[in-house]
Amino acid sequence: PKDMQKKLPDLATLHFIEKGKNIIMTGNPGTGKTMISIALGIKACMAGYKVLFTTIPLLVTTLKECRSASTLRYFENRFEKYDLVIADELGYTSFDREGTDLLFNNLSLRAGRKSTIITTNLSFERWVEVFGDPTVTNAMIDRLTYKAILVDMEGDSYRLRETLKETGLSLNFEQIAT
């Protein structure tokens, strides 16, 4: 996507990690959000940064399991030490109140100090569908977007495009969205 083409050279310097800035990539599935976040994560590892890659649903499950096993504080201490957390796939599943609160607390602790990359297929207006509570949703957006780099990854799915090319079929991408 064009917005990423403009921002990628600066992101590749990894200065966003030094400054504790977040990156939020929003766009359709198949536009390269995960691939680019992984590439930035690998580059950060090679530069000596501590990096965690996880999906949002897996992170919420892990937080809930740690809470029930009384190991939440231990996990949170480890989580805070990562220079970069890549939290993939916000928006594919919604959470109960416990999951929302745990995710909010842990991502909020990083805000302004440590970098987090969030990939999502949802616009900010739709985040309430994931978190359920408008107040928590607004607070989450406020903390994550403060001095963040927002990247619009709208476009057609490269996966679908390649499949159609291989099969010789054609499909209007706008038909899928409706």
Side-chain angles (χ1 to χ4, degrees):
K2 291 187 187 321
D3 194 33
M4 180 53 82
Q5 289 177 24
K6 285 190 286 188
K7 294 177 180 170
L8 189 56
D10 185 50
L11 296 177
T13 66
L14 304 178
H15 291 311
F16 72 94
I17 297 174
E18 296 166 18
K19 296 177 182 176
K21 288 186 172 189
N22 294 335
I23 299 172
I24 301 176
M25 297 183 211
T26 59
N28 300 330
T31 56
K33 297 179 298 294
T34 300
M35 181 187 69
I36 291 170
S37 66
I38 289 171
L40 290 169
I42 291 169
K43 185 165 187 171
C45 285
M46 292 172 61
Y49 290 106
K50 292 183 224 113
V51 179
L52 170 70
F53 177 89
T54 186
T55 64
I56 294 280
L58 179 60
L59 178 58
V60 169
T61 299
T62 302
L63 289 166
K64 289 171 94 171
E65 288 172 352
C66 287
R67 175 182 261 174
S68 66
S70 299
T71 59
L72 183 59
R73 192 66 208 135
Y74 173 76
F75 178 83
E76 289 173 335
N77 286 337
R78 280 190 17 228
F79 189 73
E80 288 178 42
K81 291 181 179 163
Y82 288 106
D83 300 305
L84 174 62
V85 169
I86 301 167
D88 197 29
E89 299 179 352
L90 174 70
Y92 289 103
T93 58
S94 56
F95 311 112
D96 60 12
R97 184 59 193 224
E98 178 189 17
T100 295
D101 290 347
L102 286 166
L103 186 63
F104 174 80
N105 290 337
N106 282 275
L107 291 179
S108 292
L109 290 173
R110 298 180 57 79
R113 296 182 319 106
K114 302 282 187 150
S115 295
T116 303
I117 296 176
I118 303 281
T119 68
T120 180
N121 60 336
L122 299 179
S123 62
F124 292 120
E125 298 82 40
R126 295 190 55 204
W127 282 26
V128 72
E129 295 170 23
V130 176
F131 300 114
D133 182 296
T135 304
V136 172
T137 302
N138 288 335
M140 179 81 77
I141 292 169
D142 181 65
R143 283 168 178 77
L144 290 176
T145 59
Y146 180 66
K147 296 185 179 180
I149 300 162
L150 307 179
V151 184
D152 180 2
M153 298 286 288
E154 288 300 323
D156 297 334
S157 168
Y158 72 87
R159 291 183 203 98
L160 183 57
R161 194 174 333 122
E162 286 181 17
T163 301
L164 293 173
K165 186 176 167 183
E166 287 177 15
T167 60
L169 297 173
S170 65
L171 182 65
N172 181 344
F173 285 100
E174 291 179 10
Q175 290 174 332
I176 295 171
T178 57

